[in-house]
Amino acid sequence: MLESRMVPVVRAPDAFSAKVAAARLGAEGIVWQLRGAVDGPYPVGAVDVLVGEHDAELARALLGPVEPDEGVLAEPRRGRPLLVAVAAVALVAALAGCFARLVTLL
């Protein structure tokens, strides 16, 4: 059997939406793969749904056009990881300052 290259057909905003799309594809016998923030302790972020190159057109037709306002398969927000990183650095700096103050009091 010839194997085809896996190509992305949709980008879901989160793991749940990607799994819903993958279930729809699997119900039609299309082999799929998820790539992105799917598993782990904090599965947050966009997930790409991939299918074999020969099934891409059928997969796109099955999933159909989805409006971003519907909350399913919307485009991910750009720049959010930077905001999270800045907030994390600020939190660490604040905790370090509190710890330094506590050490001087002892």
Side-chain angles (χ1 to χ4, degrees):
M1 180 175 163
L2 273 178
E3 291 191 28
S4 67
R5 185 174 65 97
M6 299 295 276
V7 296
V9 291
V10 71
R11 173 169 281 183
D14 53 39
F16 178 78
S17 299
K19 289 177 182 178
V20 169
R24 174 72 177 110
L25 297 173
E28 296 296 327
I30 297 175
V31 176
W32 50 266
Q33 178 182 9
L34 300 179
R35 191 172 296 158
V38 180
D39 293 318
Y42 305 106
V44 178
V47 178
D48 291 322
V49 180
L50 295 89
V51 299
E53 197 170 34
H54 60 280
D55 288 329
E57 187 175 328
L58 175 59
R60 288 185 185 104
L62 286 171
L63 296 176
V66 178
E67 295 296 322
D69 291 10
E70 292 179 15
V72 180
L73 304 178
E75 280 297 315
R77 294 182 197 148
R78 308 251 186 244
R80 191 171 209 175
L82 178 62
L83 177 63
V84 171
V86 169
V89 169
L91 179 62
V92 169
L95 289 174
C98 290
F99 183 72
R101 177 76 173 143
L102 181 64
V103 168
T104 60
L105 293 175
L106 296 177

Coordinates of all heavy atoms in Angstrom, one line a residue:
M1 N 0.8 -1.2 0.0 CA 0.0 0.0 0.0 C 0.9 1.2 0.0 O 1.8 1.4 0.8 CB -0.9 0.0 1.2 CG -1.8 1.1 1.4 SD -2.9 0.9 2.8 CE -3.4 2.6 2.9
L2 N 0.6 2.2 -0.8 CA 1.3 3.4 -0.9 C 0.9 4.3 0.3 O -0.2 4.5 0.6 CB 1.0 4.2 -2.2 CG 1.8 3.8 -3.4 CD1 1.3 4.6 -4.6 CD2 3.2 4.1 -3.2
E3 N 1.9 4.9 0.9 CA 1.6 5.8 2.0 C 1.8 7.2 1.4 O 2.7 7.5 0.6 CB 2.6 5.6 3.1 CG 2.4 4.3 3.8 CD 3.2 4.3 5.1 OE1 3.5 5.3 5.7 OE2 3.6 3.1 5.5
S4 N 0.9 8.1 1.9 CA 0.9 9.5 1.4 C 1.4 10.4 2.5 O 1.3 10.0 3.7 CB -0.4 9.9 0.9 OG -1.4 10.0 1.9
R5 N 1.8 11.5 2.2 CA 2.3 12.5 3.1 C 1.1 13.1 3.8 O 0.0 13.3 3.3 CB 3.0 13.6 2.3 CG 3.6 14.7 3.1 CD 4.4 15.6 2.2 NE 3.5 16.3 1.2 CZ 3.1 17.6 1.4 NH1 3.5 18.2 2.5 NH2 2.3 18.2 0.6
M6 N 1.2 13.3 5.2 CA 0.2 13.9 6.0 C 0.2 15.4 5.8 O 1.2 16.1 5.9 CB 0.3 13.6 7.4 CG 0.3 12.1 7.7 SD -1.3 11.3 7.4 CE -2.2 11.7 8.9
V7 N -1.0 16.0 5.5 CA -1.1 17.4 5.3 C -2.2 18.0 6.2 O -3.2 17.3 6.5 CB -1.5 17.7 3.8 CG1 -0.4 17.3 2.9 CG2 -2.8 17.1 3.4
P8 N -2.0 19.2 6.7 CA -3.0 19.8 7.6 C -4.3 20.2 6.8 O -4.2 20.7 5.7 CB -2.3 21.1 8.1 CG -1.2 21.4 7.2 CD -0.8 20.1 6.5
V9 N -5.4 19.9 7.4 CA -6.7 20.3 6.7 C -7.4 21.4 7.5 O -8.2 22.1 7.0 CB -7.6 19.1 6.5 CG1 -7.0 18.2 5.4 CG2 -7.9 18.4 7.7
V10 N -7.2 21.5 8.8 CA -7.8 22.5 9.6 C -7.0 22.7 10.9 O -6.3 21.8 11.3 CB -9.3 22.1 10.0 CG1 -9.3 20.9 11.0 CG2 -10.1 23.2 10.5
R11 N -7.1 23.9 11.4 CA -6.4 24.3 12.7 C -7.5 24.6 13.7 O -8.3 25.5 13.5 CB -5.5 25.4 12.6 CG -4.9 25.9 13.9 CD -3.8 26.9 13.8 NE -2.6 26.1 13.4 CZ -1.4 26.6 13.3 NH1 -1.3 27.9 13.4 NH2 -0.4 25.8 13.0
A12 N -7.6 23.8 14.8 CA -8.6 23.9 15.8 C -8.0 24.8 16.9 O -6.8 24.7 17.2 CB -9.0 22.6 16.4
P13 N -8.8 25.6 17.6 CA -8.3 26.4 18.7 C -7.9 25.7 19.9 O -7.1 26.2 20.8 CB -9.4 27.4 19.0 CG -10.6 26.6 18.6 CD -10.2 25.8 17.4
D14 N -8.4 24.4 20.1 CA -8.0 23.7 21.3 C -8.1 22.2 21.0 O -8.6 21.8 19.9 CB -9.0 24.0 22.5 CG -10.4 23.9 22.1 OD1 -10.8 23.0 21.4 OD2 -11.2 24.8 22.5
A15 N -7.7 21.4 22.0 CA -7.7 19.9 21.8 C -9.1 19.3 21.6 O -9.3 18.4 20.8 CB -7.0 19.2 22.9
F16 N -10.1 19.8 22.3 CA -11.4 19.3 22.2 C -12.0 19.5 20.8 O -12.5 18.6 20.2 CB -12.3 20.0 23.2 CG -13.8 19.5 23.1 CD1 -14.1 18.3 23.7 CD2 -14.7 20.3 22.5 CE1 -15.4 17.8 23.6 CE2 -16.0 19.8 22.4 CZ -16.4 18.6 22.9
S17 N -11.9 20.7 20.3 CA -12.4 20.9 18.9 C -11.6 20.1 17.9 O -12.3 19.6 16.9 CB -12.2 22.4 18.6 OG -12.9 23.2 19.4
A18 N -10.3 19.9 18.1 CA -9.6 19.0 17.1 C -10.1 17.6 17.2 O -10.2 16.9 16.2 CB -8.1 19.1 17.5
K19 N -10.4 17.1 18.4 CA -10.8 15.7 18.6 C -12.2 15.5 18.0 O -12.5 14.5 17.5 CB -10.8 15.3 20.1 CG -9.4 15.2 20.6 CD -9.3 14.9 22.0 CE -7.9 14.7 22.5 NZ -7.8 14.5 24.0
V20 N -13.0 16.6 18.1 CA -14.4 16.5 17.4 C -14.2 16.4 15.9 O -14.9 15.5 15.3 CB -15.2 17.7 17.8 CG1 -16.5 17.8 16.9 CG2 -15.6 17.7 19.3
A21 N -13.3 17.2 15.3 CA -13.1 17.1 13.9 C -12.5 15.8 13.5 O -12.9 15.2 12.5 CB -12.1 18.3 13.5
A22 N -11.6 15.3 14.3 CA -10.9 14.0 14.0 C -12.0 12.9 14.1 O -11.9 11.9 13.3 CB -9.8 13.7 15.0
A23 N -12.9 12.9 15.1 CA -13.9 11.9 15.2 C -14.8 11.9 13.9 O -15.2 10.8 13.4 CB -14.8 12.2 16.4
R24 N -15.1 13.1 13.4 CA -15.9 13.2 12.2 C -15.2 12.5 11.0 O -15.8 11.8 10.2 CB -16.2 14.6 11.9 CG -16.9 14.9 10.6 CD -18.4 14.4 10.6 NE -19.1 14.8 9.4 CZ -19.4 13.9 8.5 NH1 -19.2 12.6 8.7 NH2 -20.0 14.2 7.4
L25 N -13.9 12.8 10.9 CA -13.1 12.2 9.8 C -13.0 10.7 10.0 O -13.1 9.9 9.1 CB -11.7 12.8 9.8 CG -11.7 14.3 9.5 CD1 -10.3 14.8 9.6 CD2 -12.2 14.6 8.1
G26 N -12.8 10.2 11.2 CA -12.6 8.8 11.5 C -13.9 8.0 11.2 O -13.9 6.9 10.8
A27 N -15.1 8.7 11.5 CA -16.4 8.0 11.2 C -16.5 7.8 9.7 O -17.3 6.9 9.3 CB -17.5 8.9 11.7
E28 N -15.8 8.5 8.9 CA -15.9 8.4 7.4 C -14.7 7.5 6.9 O -14.5 7.4 5.7 CB -15.9 9.7 6.7 CG -17.1 10.6 7.0 CD -18.4 10.0 6.5 OE1 -18.4 9.3 5.5 OE2 -19.4 10.2 7.2
G29 N -13.9 7.0 7.8 CA -12.8 6.1 7.4 C -11.6 6.8 7.0 O -10.7 6.2 6.4
I30 N -11.5 8.1 7.3 CA -10.3 8.8 7.0 C -9.3 8.7 8.1 O -9.6 9.1 9.3 CB -10.6 10.3 6.7 CG1 -11.5 10.4 5.4 CG2 -9.4 11.1 6.5 CD1 -12.0 11.7 5.1
V31 N -8.1 8.3 7.9 CA -7.0 8.3 8.9 C -6.5 9.7 9.1 O -6.3 10.4 8.2 CB -5.9 7.4 8.4 CG1 -4.7 7.4 9.4 CG2 -6.4 6.0 8.1
W32 N -6.4 10.0 10.4 CA -6.1 11.4 10.8 C -4.9 11.4 11.8 O -4.6 10.3 12.4 CB -7.2 12.1 11.4 CG -7.9 11.4 12.4 CD1 -9.0 10.5 12.3 CD2 -7.6 11.3 13.8 NE1 -9.4 10.0 13.5 CE2 -8.5 10.4 14.5 CE3 -6.6 11.9 14.6 CZ2 -8.5 10.1 15.8 CZ3 -6.6 11.6 16.0 CH2 -7.5 10.7 16.6
Q33 N -4.3 12.5 12.0 CA -3.3 12.7 13.0 C -3.5 14.1 13.6 O -3.8 15.1 12.9 CB -1.9 12.6 12.4 CG -0.8 12.8 13.3 CD 0.6 12.7 12.5 OE1 0.6 12.7 11.3 NE2 1.7 12.7 13.3
L34 N -3.3 14.2 14.9 CA -3.3 15.5 15.6 C -1.9 16.0 15.9 O -1.1 15.2 16.4 CB -4.2 15.5 16.8 CG -5.6 15.0 16.7 CD1 -6.3 15.0 18.0 CD2 -6.3 16.0 15.7
R35 N -1.6 17.3 15.7 CA -0.3 17.8 16.0 C -0.5 19.1 16.7 O -1.2 20.0 16.2 CB 0.5 18.0 14.7 CG 1.9 18.3 15.0 CD 2.7 18.3 13.7 NE 2.7 17.0 13.1 CZ 3.0 16.7 11.8 NH1 3.2 17.7 11.0 NH2 3.0 15.5 11.4
G36 N 0.1 19.2 17.9 CA 0.0 20.5 18.7 C -0.2 20.2 20.1 O 0.1 19.1 20.6
A37 N -0.9 21.0 20.8 CA -1.2 20.9 22.2 C -2.4 20.0 22.5 O -3.5 20.4 22.8 CB -1.4 22.3 22.8
V38 N -2.1 18.7 22.3 CA -3.2 17.7 22.5 C -3.3 17.1 23.8 O -4.3 17.0 24.5 CB -3.1 16.6 21.4 CG1 -4.3 15.6 21.5 CG2 -3.1 17.2 20.0
D39 N -2.1 16.6 24.3 CA -2.1 15.8 25.6 C -1.1 16.5 26.5 O -0.4 17.5 26.1 CB -1.6 14.4 25.3 CG -2.7 13.6 24.6 OD1 -3.9 13.8 24.9 OD2 -2.4 12.8 23.7
G40 N -0.9 16.0 27.6 CA 0.0 16.5 28.6 C -0.8 17.2 29.7 O -2.0 17.2 29.7
P41 N -0.1 17.7 30.7 CA -0.8 18.2 31.9 C -1.6 19.5 31.6 O -2.5 19.8 32.2 CB 0.4 18.5 32.9 CG 1.6 18.6 32.0 CD 1.4 17.7 30.9
Y42 N -1.1 20.3 30.6 CA -1.8 21.5 30.2 C -2.0 21.6 28.7 O -1.3 22.4 28.1 CB -1.0 22.7 30.8 CG -0.7 22.7 32.2 CD1 0.6 22.4 32.7 CD2 -1.7 22.9 33.1 CE1 0.8 22.3 34.1 CE2 -1.5 22.8 34.5 CZ -0.2 22.5 35.0 OH 0.0 22.4 36.3
P43 N -2.9 20.9 28.2 CA -3.1 20.9 26.7 C -3.9 22.2 26.3 O -5.1 22.1 26.1 CB -3.9 19.7 26.4 CG -4.7 19.4 27.7 CD -3.8 19.9 28.8
V44 N -3.2 23.3 26.2 CA -3.8 24.6 25.8 C -3.1 25.1 24.5 O -1.9 25.1 24.4 CB -3.6 25.6 26.9 CG1 -4.2 26.9 26.6 CG2 -4.2 25.1 28.2
G45 N -3.9 25.5 23.6 CA -3.4 26.0 22.4 C -4.0 25.4 21.1 O -4.8 24.4 21.2
A46 N -3.5 25.8 20.0 CA -4.1 25.4 18.7 C -3.6 24.0 18.4 O -2.5 23.6 18.8 CB -3.6 26.3 17.6
V47 N -4.4 23.2 17.7 CA -4.1 21.8 17.3 C -4.4 21.7 15.8 O -5.5 22.1 15.3 CB -4.9 20.8 18.1 CG1 -4.6 19.4 17.6 CG2 -4.6 21.0 19.6
D48 N -3.4 21.2 15.0 CA -3.6 21.0 13.6 C -4.1 19.5 13.4 O -3.7 18.6 14.0 CB -2.3 21.1 12.8 CG -1.8 22.5 12.8 OD1 -2.7 23.4 12.6 OD2 -0.6 22.8 12.9
V49 N -5.1 19.4 12.5 CA -5.7 18.1 12.2 C -5.1 17.8 10.8 O -5.3 18.6 9.9 CB -7.2 18.1 12.1 CG1 -7.8 16.8 11.7 CG2 -7.8 18.5 13.5
L50 N -4.4 16.7 10.7 CA -3.8 16.3 9.4 C -4.4 15.0 8.9 O -4.9 14.1 9.7 CB -2.3 16.0 9.7 CG -1.4 17.2 10.1 CD1 -1.4 17.4 11.5 CD2 -0.1 17.1 9.5
V51 N -4.4 14.9 7.6 CA -4.9 13.6 6.9 C -3.9 13.3 5.8 O -3.1 14.2 5.4 CB -6.3 13.8 6.4 CG1 -7.3 14.1 7.5 CG2 -6.4 14.8 5.3
G52 N -4.1 12.1 5.2 CA -3.2 11.8 4.1 C -3.5 12.7 2.9 O -4.7 13.2 2.8
E53 N -2.5 13.0 2.2 CA -2.6 13.9 1.1 C -3.8 13.6 0.1 O -4.5 14.4 -0.4 CB -1.3 13.9 0.3 CG -1.1 15.1 -0.6 CD 0.4 15.2 -1.1 OE1 1.0 14.1 -1.3 OE2 0.9 16.3 -1.3
H54 N -4.0 12.3 -0.1 CA -5.0 11.8 -1.0 C -6.4 12.0 -0.4 O -7.4 12.0 -1.2 CB -4.8 10.4 -1.4 CG -4.8 9.4 -0.3 ND1 -3.7 9.3 0.6 CD2 -5.8 8.6 0.2 CE1 -4.0 8.4 1.5 NE2 -5.3 8.0 1.3
D55 N -6.6 12.2 0.9 CA -7.9 12.4 1.5 C -8.1 13.9 1.9 O -9.2 14.2 2.5 CB -7.9 11.6 2.8 CG -8.1 10.1 2.6 OD1 -8.7 9.7 1.6 OD2 -7.6 9.3 3.4
A56 N -7.2 14.8 1.6 CA -7.4 16.2 2.1 C -8.6 16.8 1.5 O -9.3 17.5 2.3 CB -6.1 16.9 1.7
E57 N -8.9 16.7 0.2 CA -10.0 17.4 -0.3 C -11.3 16.9 0.3 O -12.2 17.7 0.6 CB -10.0 17.2 -1.9 CG -11.1 18.0 -2.6 CD -11.0 17.8 -4.1 OE1 -9.9 17.7 -4.6 OE2 -12.1 17.9 -4.7
L58 N -11.5 15.5 0.4 CA -12.6 15.0 1.0 C -12.8 15.4 2.5 O -13.9 15.8 3.0 CB -12.6 13.4 1.0 CG -13.7 12.7 1.7 CD1 -15.1 13.1 1.1 CD2 -13.5 11.2 1.6
A59 N -11.7 15.5 3.2 CA -11.7 15.9 4.6 C -12.2 17.3 4.8 O -13.0 17.6 5.6 CB -10.3 15.7 5.2
R60 N -11.7 18.2 3.9 CA -12.1 19.6 4.0 C -13.6 19.7 3.6 O -14.3 20.5 4.2 CB -11.3 20.4 3.0 CG -9.9 20.7 3.5 CD -9.1 21.6 2.6 NE -7.7 21.7 3.0 CZ -6.7 21.1 2.4 NH1 -6.9 20.4 1.3 NH2 -5.5 21.2 2.9
A61 N -14.1 18.9 2.7 CA -15.5 18.9 2.4 C -16.4 18.4 3.5 O -17.4 19.0 3.8 CB -15.8 18.1 1.1
L62 N -15.9 17.4 4.2 CA -16.6 16.8 5.3 C -16.7 17.8 6.5 O -17.8 18.0 7.1 CB -16.0 15.5 5.8 CG -16.2 14.3 5.0 CD1 -15.3 13.2 5.4 CD2 -17.7 13.9 4.9
L63 N -15.6 18.5 6.8 CA -15.6 19.4 7.9 C -16.3 20.7 7.5 O -16.8 21.4 8.4 CB -14.2 19.7 8.3 CG -13.4 18.5 8.9 CD1 -12.0 18.9 9.2 CD2 -14.1 17.9 10.1
G64 N -16.3 21.1 6.3 CA -17.1 22.2 5.8 C -16.5 23.5 6.3 O -15.7 23.6 7.2
P65 N -17.0 24.6 5.8 CA -16.6 26.0 6.3 C -17.2 26.2 7.7 O -18.4 25.9 7.9 CB -17.2 26.9 5.3 CG -18.3 26.2 4.7 CD -18.0 24.8 4.7
V66 N -16.4 26.7 8.6 CA -16.9 27.0 9.9 C -16.6 28.4 10.2 O -15.5 28.9 10.0 CB -16.1 26.1 10.9 CG1 -16.6 26.4 12.3 CG2 -16.4 24.6 10.6
E67 N -17.6 29.1 10.7 CA -17.4 30.5 11.1 C -16.7 30.6 12.4 O -17.0 29.9 13.3 CB -18.8 31.2 11.2 CG -19.6 31.3 9.9 CD -18.9 32.1 8.9 OE1 -18.3 33.2 9.3 OE2 -18.9 31.7 7.7
P68 N -15.7 31.5 12.5 CA -15.0 31.7 13.8 C -15.9 32.0 15.0 O -15.6 31.6 16.1 CB -14.0 32.8 13.5 CG -13.9 32.9 12.0 CD -15.2 32.4 11.5
D69 N -17.0 32.7 14.7 CA -17.9 33.0 15.9 C -18.6 31.8 16.5 O -19.1 31.9 17.6 CB -18.9 34.0 15.4 CG -18.4 35.4 15.1 OD1 -17.1 35.5 15.0 OD2 -19.1 36.3 14.8
E70 N -18.6 30.7 15.8 CA -19.2 29.5 16.3 C -18.5 28.8 17.4 O -19.0 28.0 18.1 CB -19.5 28.5 15.2 CG -20.5 29.0 14.1 CD -20.6 27.9 13.0 OE1 -20.2 26.8 13.2 OE2 -21.2 28.3 12.0
G71 N -17.2 29.2 17.6 CA -16.4 28.7 18.7 C -15.8 27.3 18.4 O -15.1 26.7 19.2
V72 N -16.0 26.8 17.2 CA -15.4 25.5 16.8 C -14.5 25.7 15.6 O -14.9 26.3 14.6 CB -16.5 24.5 16.4 CG1 -15.9 23.2 16.0 CG2 -17.4 24.3 17.6
L73 N -13.3 25.3 15.7 CA -12.3 25.3 14.6 C -12.0 26.8 14.2 O -11.8 27.1 13.0 CB -12.7 24.5 13.5 CG -13.0 23.0 13.8 CD1 -13.5 22.3 12.5 CD2 -11.8 22.3 14.3
A74 N -12.0 27.7 15.1 CA -11.7 29.1 14.8 C -10.1 29.2 14.7 O -9.4 28.4 15.2 CB -12.2 30.0 15.9
E75 N -9.7 30.3 14.1 CA -8.3 30.5 14.0 C -7.7 30.9 15.4 O -8.4 31.6 16.1 CB -8.0 31.7 13.0 CG -8.0 31.3 11.6 CD -7.0 30.4 11.2 OE1 -5.8 30.5 11.6 OE2 -7.3 29.4 10.5
P76 N -6.6 30.4 15.7 CA -6.0 30.7 17.0 C -5.6 32.1 17.2 O -5.3 32.7 16.2 CB -4.8 29.7 17.1 CG -4.4 29.5 15.7 CD -5.7 29.5 14.9
R77 N -5.6 32.6 18.4 CA -5.2 34.0 18.6 C -3.6 34.0 18.5 O -3.0 33.2 19.1 CB -5.6 34.4 20.0 CG -7.1 34.6 20.1 CD -7.4 35.1 21.5 NE -8.8 34.8 21.7 CZ -9.3 34.5 22.9 NH1 -8.6 34.5 23.9 NH2 -10.6 34.2 23.0
R78 N -3.1 35.0 17.9 CA -1.7 35.2 17.8 C -1.2 36.1 18.9 O -2.0 37.0 19.4 CB -1.3 35.8 16.5 CG -1.9 35.1 15.3 CD -0.8 34.4 14.5 NE -1.4 33.8 13.3 CZ -1.4 32.5 13.1 NH1 -1.0 31.7 14.0 NH2 -1.9 32.0 12.0
G79 N 0.0 35.9 19.4 CA 0.5 36.8 20.4 C 0.2 36.4 21.9 O 0.7 36.9 22.8
R80 N -0.7 35.4 22.0 CA -1.1 35.0 23.4 C 0.1 34.4 24.1 O 0.2 34.6 25.3 CB -2.3 34.1 23.3 CG -2.9 33.8 24.7 CD -4.1 33.0 24.5 NE -5.0 33.4 25.7 CZ -6.2 33.0 25.8 NH1 -6.8 32.3 24.9 NH2 -6.9 33.3 26.8
P81 N 0.9 33.5 23.5 CA 2.0 32.9 24.3 C 3.0 34.0 24.8 O 3.5 33.8 25.9 CB 2.8 32.1 23.2 CG 1.7 31.7 22.3 CD 0.8 32.9 22.2
L82 N 3.2 35.1 24.1 CA 4.0 36.2 24.6 C 3.4 36.8 25.8 O 4.1 37.1 26.8 CB 4.2 37.2 23.5 CG 5.0 38.5 23.9 CD1 6.4 38.0 24.2 CD2 5.0 39.5 22.8
L83 N 2.1 37.0 25.8 CA 1.4 37.6 27.0 C 1.6 36.7 28.2 O 1.9 37.1 29.3 CB -0.1 37.8 26.7 CG -0.9 38.3 27.8 CD1 -0.4 39.7 28.2 CD2 -2.4 38.3 27.4
V84 N 1.5 35.4 28.0 CA 1.6 34.4 29.1 C 3.0 34.4 29.6 O 3.3 34.4 30.8 CB 1.2 33.0 28.6 CG1 1.6 31.9 29.7 CG2 -0.3 32.9 28.3
A85 N 4.0 34.5 28.7 CA 5.4 34.5 29.1 C 5.7 35.8 29.9 O 6.4 35.7 31.0 CB 6.3 34.5 27.9
V86 N 5.2 36.9 29.5 CA 5.5 38.2 30.2 C 4.8 38.1 31.6 O 5.4 38.5 32.6 CB 4.9 39.4 29.4 CG1 4.9 40.7 30.3 CG2 5.7 39.6 28.2
A87 N 3.6 37.6 31.7 CA 2.9 37.4 33.0 C 3.7 36.5 33.9 O 3.8 36.8 35.1 CB 1.5 36.9 32.8
A88 N 4.2 35.4 33.4 CA 5.0 34.5 34.2 C 6.3 35.1 34.7 O 6.7 34.9 35.9 CB 5.3 33.2 33.3
V89 N 7.0 35.9 33.9 CA 8.2 36.6 34.3 C 7.9 37.6 35.4 O 8.6 37.7 36.4 CB 8.9 37.2 33.1 CG1 10.0 38.2 33.6 CG2 9.5 36.2 32.2
A90 N 6.8 38.3 35.2 CA 6.4 39.3 36.3 C 6.1 38.6 37.6 O 6.4 39.1 38.6 CB 5.2 40.1 35.8
L91 N 5.4 37.5 37.5 CA 5.0 36.7 38.7 C 6.3 36.2 39.4 O 6.4 36.3 40.6 CB 4.1 35.6 38.4 CG 3.7 34.7 39.5 CD1 2.9 35.5 40.5 CD2 2.9 33.5 39.0
V92 N 7.2 35.7 38.7 CA 8.5 35.2 39.2 C 9.3 36.3 39.9 O 9.8 36.2 41.0 CB 9.3 34.4 38.2 CG1 10.7 34.2 38.7 CG2 8.7 33.1 37.8
A93 N 9.3 37.5 39.2 CA 10.0 38.6 39.8 C 9.3 39.1 41.1 O 10.0 39.4 42.1 CB 10.0 39.8 38.8
A94 N 8.0 39.1 41.1 CA 7.3 39.5 42.3 C 7.6 38.5 43.5 O 7.8 38.9 44.6 CB 5.8 39.6 42.0
L95 N 7.6 37.3 43.2 CA 7.8 36.3 44.2 C 9.3 36.4 44.7 O 9.5 36.2 45.9 CB 7.5 34.9 43.7 CG 6.1 34.5 43.5 CD1 5.9 33.2 42.8 CD2 5.3 34.6 44.8
A96 N 10.2 36.6 43.8 CA 11.6 36.8 44.2 C 11.8 38.0 45.1 O 12.5 37.9 46.1 CB 12.5 36.9 43.0
G97 N 11.1 39.1 44.8 CA 11.1 40.3 45.7 C 10.5 40.0 47.0 O 11.1 40.4 48.1
C98 N 9.4 39.2 47.1 CA 8.8 38.9 48.4 C 9.7 38.0 49.2 O 9.9 38.2 50.4 CB 7.5 38.2 48.2 SG 6.2 39.3 47.6
F99 N 10.4 37.1 48.5 CA 11.3 36.2 49.2 C 12.5 36.9 49.7 O 12.9 36.7 50.9 CB 11.8 35.0 48.2 CG 12.7 34.0 48.9 CD1 12.2 33.1 49.8 CD2 14.0 34.0 48.6 CE1 13.0 32.2 50.4 CE2 14.9 33.1 49.2 CZ 14.3 32.2 50.1
A100 N 13.0 37.8 48.9 CA 14.2 38.6 49.4 C 13.8 39.5 50.6 O 14.6 39.6 51.6 CB 14.7 39.5 48.2
R101 N 12.6 40.1 50.6 CA 12.2 40.9 51.7 C 12.0 40.0 53.0 O 12.4 40.4 54.1 CB 10.8 41.5 51.3 CG 10.2 42.3 52.4 CD 10.9 43.7 52.6 NE 10.2 44.4 53.6 CZ 10.7 45.2 54.4 NH1 12.0 45.4 54.5 NH2 9.9 45.9 55.3
L102 N 11.5 38.8 52.8 CA 11.3 37.9 53.9 C 12.6 37.5 54.5 O 12.8 37.4 55.7 CB 10.5 36.6 53.4 CG 10.2 35.6 54.5 CD1 9.3 36.1 55.5 CD2 9.6 34.4 53.8
V103 N 13.6 37.2 53.7 CA 15.0 36.9 54.1 C 15.6 38.0 55.0 O 16.2 37.7 56.0 CB 15.9 36.5 53.0 CG1 17.3 36.3 53.4 CG2 15.4 35.1 52.4
T104 N 15.4 39.2 54.6 CA 16.0 40.4 55.3 C 15.3 40.6 56.6 O 15.9 41.1 57.6 CB 15.9 41.7 54.5 OG1 14.6 42.0 54.2 CG2 16.7 41.6 53.2
L105 N 14.1 40.2 56.8 CA 13.3 40.3 58.0 C 13.8 39.2 59.0 O 13.6 39.4 60.2 CB 11.8 40.2 57.8 CG 11.2 41.4 57.0 CD1 9.7 41.1 56.8 CD2 11.4 42.7 57.8
L106 N 14.2 38.1 58.6 CA 14.7 37.0 59.5 C 16.0 37.3 59.9 O 16.7 37.3 60.7 CB 14.6 35.7 58.7 CG 13.3 35.2 58.2 CD1 13.4 33.9 57.5 CD2 12.3 35.0 59.4

